[in-house]
Amino acid sequence: MQAKKSPQGSKYIFVVGGVMSGVGKGIAAASIGRILQARGLIVTALKIDPYLNVDAGTMNPVEHGEVFVTTDGDETDQDIGNYERFLGIEIERLNYMTTGRVYGSVIARERNLEYGGKCVEAVPHIPYEIIHRIKAAAKKAKADITIIEIGGTVGEYQNILYLEAARMMHLESPDKVMFFLVSYLPVPSKIGEMKTKPTQFAAQALNSVGIQPDFILGRSTHPIDEPRKRKLALFCNVQPDHIISAPDIDVVYEVPLNFEKENLSAKILKQFGLKAKKQDMKQWRQLVATAKSQMPPVRIGIVGKYFETGDFILPDAYISVIESLKYASWHNKRKPVIEWINSDDFEKDKKKLKELKNFDCLVVPGGFGSRGVEGKIAAIQFARENKIPYLGLCYGMQLATIEFARHVCGLKDANTTEINPKTRNPVIHIMPEQAAKLAHKQYGNTMRLGAYPCKLKEGTLASRLYGEKKIFERHRHRYEFNNDFRQVMEKKGLIFSGTSPDGKLVEIIELPKKLHPFFIGVQFHPEFLSRPLSPHPLFFGLIKAAKR
Ligand code: GLN
């Protein structure tokens, strides 16, 4: 074997899926991290996506869901967002792995003659690269515990080399590596009984690649009862007390608490031979109790567009926005009632706009392309004129400036050049370096990405909400506000309350209090920084305004 044993180093927990995907493996991985962190350990987490794309940035939301952006500008899977939210830490580019990345580095190294003239092969060189990346991420985070979630399910051809890497790591240090199988236990309606066989097959599939699960997390509509726990233990070759129940719940933040009901952190620590502090989850417990309590509702409308896929219609993917709205509501002692409003509807029927009166606040989240845009602009106009609290995120900020230019400044054809490159009033335009990238078809990882500083103007809503002079927020866009229009819009009352430190890039716009109780748009994505125990000030402010 290649690498030397590190004297102390991290312990590794691999989380793999069985039976089917989409059962909350990411939440499970994040929750395992949370309960270990609550015992004073340093935890980091990695996500492996077994597709060939280098990152999630070039995939559409139907294919992939939300693209989560890290501080260092990586365009990742939404599970990275789950890790950040559950663990309250910043996850780095190093912690996100795709087959595209792994093969990319191996091929680059081969071209540099770094394999010393050897034949470079899928096995072992790809697993070696995977192991190298996992260990590098653990070292960078100085982690006691490193959680590695392998995307998809065991038995898929795509993730075989990742499982091979995991097996090799276990062979190298059996006492440092542990496997969790997250599996689904169906309760077919016609049978009315929880079935364990699919999970038994999943465990066998894992065995067939040389891996024995140490724990099984049984996802299901119901808790797993004792007879089924015994059955799973016997047939999957797992200790009975290592079969952990993970029934459906309403508030995902309860998952770590449920795991602790089965003493999961103590069981993990025991197997690793680790000693740790007593568990401290007081604040987390309080948050979950609040989330589950009876509270007056706050009605939140997210104006966006829908995608069709086969027989199903899905909203654009915005898990971070939705979670941010939940935290802000809970901390305002309100029950969030979030509704997805299809902006296409307003284009077909203007009268529908009146229905927006039913909402306490409105959000237009990030987006791309022209579909539904006129409907979004109409909704923003309605929010502005009817004084409904409004928060515009990225595209939602750009479209708010367009709405203001059209209806307040009288620039009738104001637009973004993303939609109308020939408009006489390009209120939003592309930056020259971005245009050059598009001209050369350089689409991947080339937007303005990751954290940038923003200075706030004193006395504005933004500076009141943040309570700071300078902030850092994460970006993901190609277009920017066009400074040629700053003066006209300022004259008509729009406030440019946040800019890049050199004043050149507009980052936040808002309306003064005398014109609107809460109307703010930001060029960045605050949703990526909101955490359950510390809601983002913009979202918190929105819900606070919505209460009035
Ligand atoms: N489409 C816009 C841009 O590229 C906004 C992007 C976004 O909302 N994330 O600038």
Side-chain angles (χ1 to χ4, degrees), residues 365-369 393-396 398 418 447 476-480 523 525:
F368 294 86
L393 307 170
C394 205
Y395 219 13
Q398 298 177 351
E418 180 174 357
M447 283 188 237
R476 182 171 188 255
H477 55 102
R478 289 193 199 278
Y479 296 79
E480 307 273 355
Q523 182 57 81
H525 291 277

Side-chain angles (χ1 to χ4, degrees), residues 63-80:
E63 288 286 330
H64 191 269
E66 174 183 273
V67 175
F68 187 84
V69 180
T70 58
T71 287
D72 59 4
D74 201 10
E75 297 175 280
T76 71
D77 180 69
Q78 62 189 40
D79 277 327
I80 296 286

Side-chain angles (χ1 to χ4, degrees), residues 69 318 364-369 376 393-399 416 418-419 428-430 434 447-448 475-480 522-525 527-528:
V69 180
Y318 291 107
V364 172
F368 294 86
K376 289 181 194 173
L393 307 170
C394 205
Y395 219 13
M397 172 269 198
Q398 298 177 351
L399 299 177
T416 160
E418 180 174 357
I419 294 174
I428 303 294
H429 66 167
I430 196 159
Q434 282 294 336
M447 283 188 237
R448 184 176 172 216
H475 290 247
R476 182 171 188 255
H477 55 102
R478 289 193 199 278
Y479 296 79
E480 307 273 355
V522 293
Q523 182 57 81
F524 43 80
H525 291 277
E527 66 269 28
F528 295 143

